[in-house]
Amino acid sequence: MLTTIYMVRHAESPYKAGEERTRGLSAEGELKSRQVTELLKEEGIDVIVSSPYARAVRTVEGLARKLNLPIKTYEDLRERQFAGDSYIIRDEQFMTQVQNMFSDPEYALPGGESSRACQQRAVPILSELLEQYKGKKIAIGTHGNVMTLMMSYFDPGYDWDFFIETKKPDIYKLEFAGTKLIQVTRLWKG
């Protein structure tokens, strides 16, 4: 019996300092979130969960309405904390710092979260979902970093190179036999 996880990376969201939790989607992001709904509405999804961050919830909200399902949020599915509020990462340094975090699982900026720490808080939620909803189809509203780190726990091939190729939004269908990842299919073609 297979359990299917649909990792739904959030659509485009304009960055606003200090609004990590509450920032929504751009006009383009809203449009593409409707495409996410169209793509997934016939997949037979049983459960929808999400990061508590507004952009992740907004990306799966239309799907939840279409399927008449609630969205259950999990705090530990939030995006990685890149740095503390008092540590400023200049735009031109951001992706280099993220690459450093992927290269060294223990590396973290002041007040930030290492890849290992992020993975250790998010993977137990995914494992819980696999156990609780065995044989079901679960959509997860998520973020690029935490999605990649959860996937890399089951297959180390999901790394920095994978992360930089992902889009906003993006959708990956993960099929599990128990807790063993057996297949990943990218559904988003945008």
Side-chain angles (χ1 to χ4, degrees), residues 96-114:
T96 299
Q97 291 293 353
V98 174
Q99 184 176 12
N100 291 340
M101 292 174 202
F102 274 101
S103 297
D104 177 355
E106 301 301 332
Y107 178 78
L109 294 170
E113 189 174 33
S114 71

Side-chain angles (χ1 to χ4, degrees), residues 9-10 51 53 55-56 77-79 142-147:
R9 185 181 187 195
H10 69 78
S51 155
Y53 288 13
R55 60 192 182 274
L77 291 178
R78 70 190 178 278
E79 181 58 296
T142 189
H143 307 269
N145 269 253
V146 72
M147 174 184 79

Side-chain angles (χ1 to χ4, degrees), residues 111-138:
E113 189 174 33
S114 71
S115 290
R116 186 164 330 280
C118 182
Q119 192 178 62
Q120 286 175 339
R121 71 163 156 82
V123 169
I125 301 300
L126 184 54
S127 296
E128 175 187 320
L129 294 170
L130 289 170
E131 178 62 31
Q132 184 176 0
Y133 300 109
K134 188 176 286 188
K136 304 283 187 185
K137 295 182 175 185
I138 306 133

Side-chain angles (χ1 to χ4, degrees), residues 8 10 20-21 48-58 60 71-80 121 125 139-143 146 150:
V8 182
H10 69 78
E20 192 62 17
R21 286 184 171 274
I48 301 175
V49 302
S50 181
S51 155
Y53 288 13
R55 60 192 182 274
V57 172
R58 296 279 306 177
V60 295
I71 300 171
K72 182 173 183 182
T73 60
Y74 288 85
E75 182 63 27
D76 284 342
L77 291 178
R78 70 190 178 278
E79 181 58 296
R80 175 205 304 259
R121 71 163 156 82
I125 301 300
I140 300 177
T142 189
H143 307 269
V146 72
M150 285 190 288

Side-chain angles (χ1 to χ4, degrees), residues 15-27:
Y15 176 75
K16 294 178 184 166
E19 295 183 16
E20 192 62 17
R21 286 184 171 274
T22 59
R23 70 179 206 248
L25 301 177
S26 66

Side-chain angles (χ1 to χ4, degrees), residues 2-20:
L2 296 180
T3 304
T4 306
I5 301 285
Y6 296 86
M7 292 283 190
V8 182
R9 185 181 187 195
H10 69 78
E12 179 71 32
S13 175
Y15 176 75
K16 294 178 184 166
E19 295 183 16
E20 192 62 17

